[in-house]
Amino acid sequence: MKKSTLLVRSLVSVTTLGLVLGACTSTSGETDDPAATQAGDVSSGTVPGSVLRVNWGGFPESWAPGAEMEAGFLRVPYENLVASGPDGEIVGVLATSWEETDEALTLTLREGVTFHDGTPFDAEAVKVNIETIKNTPGPYAGPFQVVESIDVVDPQTVRLNLSEPTPSLLTTLTTRAAPMASPAAIEAGTIAQTPVGTGPWAYDATASIPGTRLVFGPADGYWGEPVGFETVQLVSIPEDNAATAALVNGEIDLTDTEVNQFSTLDAAGTIERLSYPAIRNNPIFFDRGPGGMFEDVRVRQAACSAIDTEVLAELEPDWQVRTQHFAEGEQGFNPDLQGYPHDLAKAQDLYDEAGNPPVDAEMLATVFNENQMKIYAEQMGEIGMNVTVQSAPPPQYFTEWNSGRYPLGLGGNDELTPFDWYKAWFAADAPGNPSGVESPELKAAADAAIAAGSTEQADLLWSVVTKVIQDEALTCAHVAGEELLAWNAETVTGVAEPSERWETNLVNYRDLRPAS
């Protein structure tokens, strides 16, 4: 599963998986319980004994807030303060209302919510979570640097004090950057390996088998609406053919998949599938400080002009070539940008103009992006740049690819707003900018866009920021990928494209029901 970006792949054969799951079956049918409409009782309306078996090909390295984990895992035990609704509007989850000003975001919290370990969900819990995310190295930390301090006004009211206008902060709170975890588990340090959230399914360590199966059973006293499946099991089948066989044979109910599996899936007759846009990635030049091999903008532009993303799209048909990070209709999109079309002669001229400074760069790759990196490295080599690709296991890759140890890297950029994208990768203090270098032009453009807040000028000003980032070739070679899902229609219904945008390995768990 080549594009799965934040996983530790734990090998398990289909035979072994079948033995593990043999006693775990999905029970269909409806309940006649008159309490089925009562929120707060997760078993009401839930099919007793029903089990949803899902494969995302691996498991998170860490479940802690601020760690990079894919949405398919995070959104089982965890909930956010707010969520993205079907039409893109922001709706309340653990927060019921909010007030935004240029100086602060004040949230009113839902009463009567507890974490799976019994810890109360309150303003202090929100404070601990936001501070943990802010202080955890990684791209999620960047957008939260704007939070100067957090006031616990009362148990159900929390105020995030801002250093500058940040109208995109609510959007950030809808994403996988900001799950709410038990502050007791965070303080104890156990949260990394044992998730403790407020969602309808709680982690069951006794039923789980590390590296093979993670079991999430019904959370006692869940505050929200009832869900269809009593239990969610996450399994690990990293190899595409094996995952397809497990789905067709009835050992799992749903999996991510690849285009090369479609013929086998379609032949089964009971398998349905869908795709949705979930992945945006692009190489970023990290070593662009004084004396760095990518200090000269012409060297970066040369590398960008040498890369031919159309080659990638031909080899991987579910990749789409993009001119920029943001899509039309999103803030930050600039209709005048054309990216860096492949032009080897222009690339060579730019490199020659820069004096052909030696580029002897190493990129860190892992199982799901190594081929893509090798294509780009070979293309940059055509103008005399020596770029090598070092393969590493996922845990090392996630820790080091953007740490500054490597002069350039290729990774996912799932930020939804230009403020988040800028703060994560390009601002002088961005976690993804280890050089600490930011041009006066970029800072001026970003400062103007931030100062515009939510005024009519903001969209235009953020599109200027996008243009400066492209002109300076801080990143390039933008591509977007589809998440491909397949499921057994005889065991599960309700699968649809999730309302969350640009999140990988995700299905709308709460809307799924056992087929009958």
Side-chain angles (χ1 to χ4, degrees):
M1 309 205 171
K2 61 181 183 306
K3 299 187 298 301
S4 184
T5 54
L6 305 173
L7 302 177
V8 177
R9 301 291 186 181
S10 301
L11 298 177
V12 56
S13 70
V14 176
T15 301
T16 302
L17 182 68
L19 294 174
V20 169
L21 300 182
C24 304
T25 58
S26 179
T27 305
S28 62
E30 298 295 331
T31 178
D32 294 324
D33 186 346
T37 59
Q38 294 180 3
D41 180 0
V42 74
S43 64
S44 298
T46 301
V47 178
S50 59
V51 180
L52 176 69
R53 302 160 300 176
V54 182
N55 171 57
W56 298 129
F59 299 121
E61 173 70 7
S62 172
W63 290 90
E68 295 189 57
M69 77 185 89
E70 292 184 325
F73 302 99
L74 177 149
R75 296 193 182 277
V76 177
Y78 290 130
E79 294 177 309
N80 288 48
L81 294 167
V82 290
S84 175
D87 298 322
E89 78 281 10
I90 294 176
V91 297
V93 183
L94 295 176
T96 57
S97 62
W98 47 87
E99 180 183 354
E100 295 180 271
T101 68
D102 286 348
E103 293 76 32
L105 171 62
T106 303
L107 299 141
T108 300
L109 307 179
R110 190 175 299 278
E111 296 185 25
V113 178
T114 59
F115 289 97
H116 299 151
D117 61 0
T119 303
F121 169 76
D122 55 17
E124 184 63 35
V126 174
K127 183 176 189 292
V128 170
N129 273 271
I130 298 299
E131 289 178 344
T132 298
I133 297 166
K134 177 181 177 180
N135 296 325
T136 298
Y140 299 147
F144 287 100
Q145 299 308 307
V146 70
V147 179
E148 280 193 319
S149 62
I150 302 176
D151 294 333
V152 175
V153 180
D154 59 50
Q156 306 309 132
T157 310
V158 62
R159 182 169 56 241
L160 311 183
N161 300 305
L162 310 177
S163 61
E164 54 197 12
T166 316
S168 64
L169 184 55
L170 266 176
T171 299
T172 304
L173 292 175
T174 71
T175 70
R176 61 191 176 97
M180 292 292 107
S182 166
I186 293 173
E187 182 178 358
T190 58
I191 195 68
Q193 299 305 316
T194 305
V196 184
T198 61
W201 298 283
Y203 180 61
D204 185 345
T206 60
S208 298
I209 301 175
T212 300
R213 179 187 70 192
L214 301 181
V215 178
F216 296 83
D220 293 336
Y222 176 60
W223 66 269
E225 295 294 328
V227 292
F229 281 94
E230 185 176 79
T231 299
V232 175
Q233 291 185 3
L234 301 177
V235 303
S236 173
I237 313 175
E239 203 276 318
D240 294 330
N241 291 332
T244 296
L247 183 64
V248 171
N249 293 336
E251 295 174 327
I252 59 175
D253 303 303
L254 184 146
T255 185
D256 64 338
T257 188
E258 301 296 342
V259 173
N260 61 11
Q261 301 298 307
F262 284 3
S263 59
T264 303
L265 293 169
D266 294 344
T270 61
I271 307 302
E272 296 185 11
R273 52 184 171 84
L274 64 77
S275 65
Y276 67 91
I279 306 161
R280 300 195 268 207
N281 80 19
N282 43 275
I284 298 178
F285 302 98
F286 297 124
D287 186 21
R288 55 181 188 262
M293 62 182 72
F294 294 109
E295 176 186 10
D296 193 319
V297 64
R298 293 170 297 183
V299 175
R300 302 194 298 268
Q301 291 170 338
C304 290
S305 299
I307 293 174
D308 187 357
T309 50
E310 295 289 351
V311 171
L312 176 68
E314 290 175 2
L315 295 174
E316 305 286 356
D318 49 328
W319 282 113
Q320 295 181 352
V321 174
R322 302 278 290 274
T323 62
Q324 55 195 286
H325 176 72
F326 296 102
E328 187 173 1
E330 294 180 314
Q331 188 180 59
F333 177 77
N334 190 319
D336 298 327
L337 298 186
Q338 298 302 315
Y340 283 86
H342 176 60
D343 188 332
L344 205 57
K346 181 177 181 180
Q348 191 66 66
D349 288 344
L350 285 164
Y351 197 31
D352 292 344
E353 287 176 16
N356 298 110
V359 171
D360 190 6
E362 188 175 65
M363 301 173 73
L364 190 64
T366 193
V367 291
F368 47 76
N369 59 18
E370 186 173 357
N371 289 338
Q372 183 180 1
M373 288 189 182
K374 286 182 176 178
I375 290 171
Y376 292 172
E378 182 178 349
Q379 291 170 342
M380 286 185 279
E382 294 187 55
I383 61 171
M385 296 182 179
N386 181 31
V387 179
T388 57
V389 177
Q390 175 186 332
S391 184
Q396 180 185 347
Y397 171 78
F398 300 138
T399 302
E400 297 182 4
W401 81 272
N402 60 359
S403 65
R405 177 178 175 181
Y406 299 91
L408 76 164
L410 174 70
N413 286 193
D414 58 5
E415 291 78 19
L416 299 182
T417 72
F419 176 86
D420 288 1
W421 197 49
Y422 165 73
K423 285 291 189 179
W425 301 103
F426 308 113
D429 59 351
N433 180 9
S435 71
V437 171
E438 179 183 7
S439 72
E441 292 78 13
L442 178 57
K443 187 176 189 312
D447 285 347
I450 291 168
S454 57
T455 66
E456 293 182 0
Q457 286 185 307
D459 287 355
L460 176 61
L461 292 171
W462 280 116
S463 73
V464 172
V465 173
T466 303
K467 183 178 187 303
V468 175
I469 290 172
Q470 176 174 289
D471 290 347
E472 296 183 0
L474 304 180
T475 184
C476 58
H478 299 277
V479 294
E482 296 281 311
E483 186 66 86
L484 309 175
L485 303 181
W487 67 96
N488 188 336
E490 292 188 335
T491 62
V492 61
T493 64
V495 181
E497 178 177 332
S499 60
E500 293 86 1
R501 294 173 291 159
W502 300 106
E503 293 196 358
T504 52
N505 294 142
L506 183 59
V507 67
N508 50 331
Y509 294 103
R510 293 165 185 261
D511 295 337
L512 303 185
R513 295 293 183 269
S516 59

